[in-house]
Amino acid sequence: MLELRNIEKYYNPGTINEMCLFDKFNLSVKEGEFLTVVGSNGSGKTSMLNIICGTIPFEGGQIIINGKDISKSPEYKRNKIIGRVFQNPAMGTSPGMTILENMSLADNKGKFFGLSKGVNKERISYYKEELSTLGLGLEDKLETKVEHLSGGQRQAMALLMATMTPIDFLILDEHTAALDPKTADIIMHLTDKIVKEKNLTTIMVTHNLRYATDYGSRIIMMHEGKIVLDKAEDDKINQNIEDLLVKFNEISIECGN
C-alpha cells in the first residue's frame, strides 16, 4: 500500500515567484490497485510521481510504503521497489547499448556487479522468452543497438525492463504520449497484460481520456494540486469520457477560460 500524507510542495520558495503546489495533499493507493490519473497541465500529476519516486524534494509530509516511511530514502533505494516508464522512450533504455545489454542491465537491477561480466550468457534464453511476449520480434535482434529501434519498440522494452525484477509499484508517466495512436494502443495492451499478470500496484498519468476510462480499477482527476474527482470499482466502470470532459469544462470555466 502507498500513502501520501499531508504532502507540502513549494516551487521557488522564498522568492517572488513562490508557488504552493501541494498543501496537505493526501492519497492512498491499495495493493494491486491500478490508478489512472488525469488533469490539466500544472495540476500536479507529474510532480506527484516525482515525489513518490524521490526525483524532487518536498517540504512536508510523509510517503508511506507498506507501513514504512520512505520520505528520506534516496531515489536509487526507491528504485529497488519502484519501476518507472517515462513519456520519452529514450529515458527507459540505454540507446548506445544492444538489446541484450539493456536486458542484462534490467535483470541485474539493484545487484552488485563488481568485476564480473555485464552479460550472463546463461540468461540469454530467458531474455528471448521475455522479449517474445511483446510480439515485436525483438527476441531475434539481441545484438541490435536500441537506438535503431522505433519509439514503440523502445517503449515496449522500457516497460518490460521496468518490471523484470520484483517491484512493489509501477509508475507510468504519460508513457504513450510520444507514440502514434496505433502504437500507443499496442503499448497500452501490453501494459494491461503485464500489470494483471504480475499483479502490480500501478499509477498511470495520462492525457488520453479513453485510456483513463478503459484501463485501471480507479481514476482520479487533479487540479491545482488537489483531487477533484475520485472513482473506483463500479463507479470507475461506469465512468465515461463525456463525464470527464464535463468536469474539465467546469474547471476551465472556474479558471476564467
Side-chain angles (χ1 to χ4, degrees):
M1 183 174 182
L2 168 68
E3 295 178 85
L4 301 181
R5 298 179 183 173
N6 299 317
I7 297 296
E8 297 179 4
K9 174 60 186 175
Y10 291 83
Y11 283 104
N12 305 310
T15 73
I16 193 173
N17 296 317
E18 179 175 305
M19 188 272 287
C20 177
L21 177 61
F22 293 131
D23 182 16
K24 307 296 183 183
F25 179 82
N26 292 280
L27 175 68
S28 294
V29 183
K30 298 177 182 177
E31 183 177 351
E33 196 166 55
F34 187 167
L35 174 68
T36 60
V37 184
V38 297
S40 57
N41 291 330
S43 61
K45 304 184 301 298
T46 296
S47 290
M48 177 184 69
L49 298 187
N50 286 331
I51 287 173
I52 292 171
C53 294
T55 308
I56 61 173
F58 57 101
E59 283 64 49
Q62 294 176 296
I63 304 170
I64 310 295
I65 289 184
N66 298 329
K68 181 180 179 181
D69 188 344
I70 66 160
S71 305
K72 296 182 180 180
S73 295
E75 184 177 8
Y76 76 91
K77 287 189 176 181
R78 300 187 199 188
N79 285 343
K80 293 181 180 179
I81 59 171
I82 298 175
R84 185 172 186 177
V85 184
F86 298 87
Q87 178 178 337
N88 184 351
M91 293 186 67
T93 56
S94 296
M97 301 175 71
T98 66
I99 292 176
L100 176 59
E101 290 167 339
N102 271 267
M103 293 292 286
S104 183
L105 278 177
D107 193 20
N108 287 281
K109 176 183 173 182
K111 299 177 183 177
F112 179 71
F113 273 91
L115 297 176
S116 61
K117 292 183 178 180
V119 176
N120 182 353
K121 293 184 178 180
E122 294 179 359
R123 298 284 285 172
I124 290 178
S125 295
Y126 169 71
Y127 299 153
K128 286 186 175 182
E129 183 180 338
E130 289 291 292
L131 288 165
S132 68
T133 64
L134 301 178
L136 300 173
L138 297 179
E139 65 274 15
D140 299 321
K141 300 178 180 179
L142 290 183
E143 298 304 325
T144 300
K145 287 190 175 182
V146 172
E147 63 188 356
H148 298 309
L149 302 180
S150 68
Q153 289 173 321
R154 292 172 74 165
Q155 201 67 316
M157 271 199 65
L159 181 62
L160 180 60
M161 290 168 61
T163 57
M164 276 184 69
T165 55
I167 56 173
D168 293 331
F169 298 94
L170 177 61
I171 302 295
L172 305 170
D173 189 2
E174 297 185 51
H175 70 309
T176 63
L179 307 175
D180 64 79
K182 181 179 178 180
T183 304
D185 282 346
I186 293 172
I187 296 301
M188 274 310 308
H189 176 74
L190 288 171
T191 299
D192 193 50
K193 179 173 177 286
I194 290 174
V195 167
K196 288 178 178 177
E197 287 180 350
K198 300 193 175 186
N199 192 33
L200 294 173
T201 305
T202 304
I203 303 177
M204 179 180 77
V205 165
T206 180
H207 281 295
N208 189 310
L209 298 185
R210 178 168 65 86
Y211 293 159
T213 55
D214 288 353
Y215 294 94
S217 56
R218 178 183 172 195
I219 183 172
I220 65 172
M221 181 183 292
M222 296 180 64
H223 177 61
E224 294 183 344
K226 298 179 177 62
I227 296 174
V228 296
L229 179 147
D230 189 344
K231 294 191 176 184
E233 299 176 351
D234 289 342
D235 288 337
K236 166 66 169 62
I237 293 173
N238 296 325
Q239 182 68 56
N240 56 53
I241 295 176
E242 288 73 21
D243 292 337
L244 289 179
L245 285 172
V246 168
K247 189 66 177 179
F248 265 114
N249 288 334
E250 289 178 356
I251 291 172
S252 183
I253 292 173
E254 289 173 3
C255 292
N257 296 327

